[in-house]
Amino acid sequence: RSRYYSPKPQQESDIDYLSKKNWTWDGDIDLNQGLYIAMDYNSDITCLSVGQMEGNTIKLLKSFYVTTKRKDVVIDFYDYYQDLLDSGTEVYYFFDNTAIVTDADKNIDESYAAKTISELETLGVSVTPIYLTQTTHQWRYSMWASILSGGDNNHPFDFKYNFDNNEDWEYAAQHTRVESRTTKDGKAIFGKDKSDEKKRKIPPEKTTHLTECVDTLTIGLMMLYNEGDMEPVEGRGVVW
């Protein structure tokens, strides 16, 4: 129910199908919105997912990943959407505390978030960074249970994704397992089983990394929607 395939663009006659694929091949982008992104950072893989809202439906447009240098995924994102970004389309970058943690001998300017913002700005991209409060796996489990069943009072959202641009994410999501955990006070909770990330025989794009990326994107889009519009408000962006 959530999967869809790229619809034909309105200006399909203008597409050069012999060239490298880019956003013009996709007929699901709302040109009146910005592009909303989130990332996941790991030594084996770096992921970047792109989404927009369609009413109260969270729409996953595309996911990128690289197993090379982290900044390469930012370049891949820029290359794919270059015409839009060069024309001034705003990028809203969601991140949480996992993107601002640094080693003891480093400052905040060396965090993943700061580097990502700098790299986008160097490419000429207009970017609004939006910091998200960290959520627990139990909270995310409840969030997805609600969204994938059509939404409820706590999470009145639906979700759909472009399969052509998110095939690896679909595989990872379908193979992500849930594990039961017990808190220090004896309470039973659910968590995401991320043990596959440590198994060298499993390609990193087939484990839970992409799902973490889309989790952050989904939470960010829900937050903006709940605030009443899809535009940034004063005080929400983080200035570096």
Side-chain angles (χ1 to χ4, degrees), residues 61-120:
L61 300 175
K62 186 170 177 63
S63 291
F64 302 85
Y65 68 86
V66 295
T67 56
T68 53
K69 294 180 180 179
R70 182 199 52 78
K71 68 181 296 183
D72 289 346
V73 78
V74 175
I75 295 172
D76 286 348
F77 163 72
Y78 173 77
D79 287 346
Y80 194 85
Y81 294 103
Q82 182 174 357
D83 291 345
L84 284 179
L85 300 174
D86 287 351
S87 66
T89 295
E90 187 75 13
V91 170
Y92 300 92
Y93 166 43
F94 299 122
F95 64 97
D96 58 25
N97 68 317
T98 61
I100 59 177
V101 174
T102 61
D103 296 332
D105 61 342
K106 295 182 179 179
N107 58 45
I108 193 67
D109 293 330
E110 298 179 87
S111 68
Y112 291 130
K115 290 179 179 179
T116 298
I117 294 165
S118 176
E119 288 157 6
L120 287 168

Side-chain angles (χ1 to χ4, degrees), residues 146-186:
S146 299
I147 292 174
L148 295 179
S149 62
D152 58 22
N153 290 334
N154 291 325
H155 305 99
F157 299 95
D158 202 354
F159 176 86
K160 63 181 183 179
Y161 62 97
N162 184 325
F163 173 76
D164 296 318
N165 291 337
N166 293 283
E167 187 172 355
D168 287 311
W169 171 81
E170 182 191 77
Y171 179 94
Q174 290 177 343
H175 289 80
T176 295
R177 299 180 299 275
V178 175
E179 61 182 4
S180 178
R181 302 172 181 173
T182 303
T183 62
K184 293 181 179 179
D185 58 1

Side-chain angles (χ1 to χ4, degrees), residues 13 30 39 133 236:
S13 60
D30 182 351
M39 298 178 65
T133 302
R236 187 167 61 208

Side-chain angles (χ1 to χ4, degrees), residues 213-231:
C213 189
V214 174
D215 285 355
T216 303
L217 176 66
T218 300
I219 293 165
L221 286 170
M222 288 196 308
M223 182 196 74
L224 293 193
Y225 185 92
N226 285 333
E227 289 184 358
D229 57 54
M230 293 303 294
E231 297 298 326

